[in-house]
Amino acid sequence: MSHEPLANWNGEEMPLGEVRVSVLDRGYLFGDGVYEVLRVYQGQPFLEAEHLGRFRRSLDKIAIVCDVDRLIERMRATLEHSEVQEGLIYMQVTRGTAPRTHRFPPSDVTPNELIYVEGFDVEPYAEAREQGAAAITVPDLRWKRCDIKSVNLLANCLAAQQAAEQGCVEALLVHEDGTVTEGSHTSVFGVRNGNVLTSPLSPSILPGITRGLVTRLADRCDISLHETSFTADEISQLDELFLTGTTAEVVPLVSVDGNPINDGRPGPITRRLQRAYQESVAETLSNS
Ligand code: PLP
């Protein structure tokens, strides 16, 4: 039996199942909120400053005023009280509870702030990381501000469900111009002739925190990396393909839409970056 996640709801600590939210919460009615997910290794949040920096930027971009320093204190206390060693921290802030009207509510309406800490029973992507995984391509149906980590995830959910129904770990989202933007919940990298390729930062993708780390690790490993998109048609010419994400870490993709990538096995550059990722976790833990 897994432990129930421990939550902090607007400053009060309680088991996640005891949190009660009004149906007039603007996150529930409009998806008017933003979120963040951090990985916990050996009881320590990984890449905390980077995640919290992105959280502040997401809040700013949709003009929610919230005391993030106070949330950080709550996050650390909840993590400590949860005693979770391996797992995730989820943080979400919505514009608050107010009578339903599209325009923002009066400024005395306060945001609803949720944090919870969830321990892993089983590491979700362990097998995919080892064996390599399959993906499908689907049209990218999302809005034009995918750089904001908003809780509006309907298009992402539909894509992920389609992938799951076909026995795949991820759906690669294909923009109208044919380029692969990212996955439904991961960033995407290709390898061609020894060069790693990934979509440049723009409003069309989420600036993945793991994407940023892998970019720095490639530099450290003397692997050339270009922030250049590739198209869905070019996938068949790639030597390697992989995903990155907070939970996924670095996952090799060995087939897309039923067609193998190269010889259908994880490639050497992906393996090198997987090792570099583990080294980076170990290094962070030894410095904490
Ligand atoms: N792209 C999308 C659309 C995501 O939802 C996520 C994570 O949830 C990512 C990329 C990976 O981002 P990160 O590495 O910060 O987890």
Side-chain angles (χ1 to χ4, degrees):
M1 262 295 281
S2 66
H3 270 283
E4 182 170 6
L6 183 63
N8 184 303
W9 171 240
N10 288 330
E12 213 183 310
E13 220 168 79
M14 63 186 83
L16 183 60
E18 287 177 20
V19 175
R20 294 288 173 266
V21 186
S22 166
V23 293
L24 292 178
D25 173 74
R26 289 183 60 98
Y28 181 73
L29 291 177
F30 297 118
D32 187 0
V34 293
Y35 75 108
E36 196 53 53
V37 182
L38 292 82
R39 179 69 161 85
V40 175
Y41 293 105
Q42 295 182 22
Q44 303 293 325
F46 186 54
L47 302 173
E48 186 188 66
E50 288 86 343
H51 281 282
L52 295 168
R54 182 174 66 184
F55 197 44
R56 285 181 201 276
R57 288 191 292 280
S58 289
L59 286 162
D60 281 351
K61 284 173 183 173
I62 68 164
I64 289 181
V65 180
C66 155
D67 184 345
V68 175
D69 291 334
R70 190 179 62 182
L71 278 185
I72 297 171
E73 279 170 33
R74 284 183 198 164
M75 179 192 86
R76 291 185 184 146
T78 314
L79 174 60
E80 195 182 326
H81 300 158
S82 74
E83 298 181 4
V84 162
Q85 291 297 299
E86 299 298 317
L88 297 173
I89 302 169
Y90 181 85
M91 302 176 77
Q92 174 178 307
V93 174
T94 71
R95 204 176 303 278
T97 304
R100 185 183 181 282
T101 171
H102 284 63
R103 56 169 300 176
F104 295 175
S107 55
D108 60 344
V109 171
T110 51
N112 281 328
E113 300 168 348
L114 172 69
I115 299 165
Y116 69 82
V117 182
E118 183 182 17
F120 288 150
D121 283 335
V122 187
E123 250 250 70
Y125 285 89
E127 192 186 326
R129 274 200 294 274
E130 204 36 56
Q131 310 290 323
I136 55 168
T137 54
V138 300
D140 190 344
L141 301 177
R142 300 173 303 162
W143 72 324
K144 293 182 178 163
R145 289 306 306 274
C146 299
D147 55 315
I148 300 172
K149 198 164 168 65
S150 106
V151 295
N152 288 273
L153 292 173
L154 180 57
N156 308 59
C157 293
L158 293 174
Q161 177 61 18
Q162 210 176 319
E165 284 172 8
Q166 296 184 41
C168 292
V169 296
E170 182 57 300
L172 310 184
L173 308 179
V174 182
H175 194 267
E176 279 171 8
D177 67 4
T179 57
V180 175
T181 48
E182 58 184 336
S184 73
H185 57 288
T186 55
S187 309
V188 180
F189 294 73
V191 181
R192 196 164 54 197
N193 303 327
N195 297 305
V196 178
L197 311 174
T198 196
S199 300
L201 293 182
S202 80
S204 301
I205 67 163
L206 183 79
I209 300 302
T210 322
R211 174 194 179 281
L213 173 66
V214 165
T215 305
R216 298 192 293 279
L217 293 175
D219 190 41
R220 212 203 255 189
C221 298
D222 280 330
I223 296 169
S224 86
L225 185 143
H226 304 273
E227 292 189 287
T228 308
S229 309
F230 51 88
T231 66
D233 288 343
E234 288 168 335
I235 291 177
S236 61
Q237 297 148 29
L238 294 174
D239 303 317
E240 300 180 38
L241 186 61
F242 63 91
L243 306 173
T244 68
T246 295
T247 321
E249 300 177 356
V250 178
V251 171
L253 287 181
V254 293
S255 86
V256 175
D257 294 330
N259 303 312
I261 302 297
N262 205 345
D263 63 359
R265 284 192 297 227
I269 291 183
T270 310
R271 288 297 195 212
R272 177 71 197 97
L273 291 168
Q274 283 185 307
R275 282 199 304 279
Y277 182 96
Q278 292 311 328
E279 286 157 14
S280 163
V281 172
E283 208 175 287
T284 308
L285 289 171
S286 71
N287 292 334
S288 68

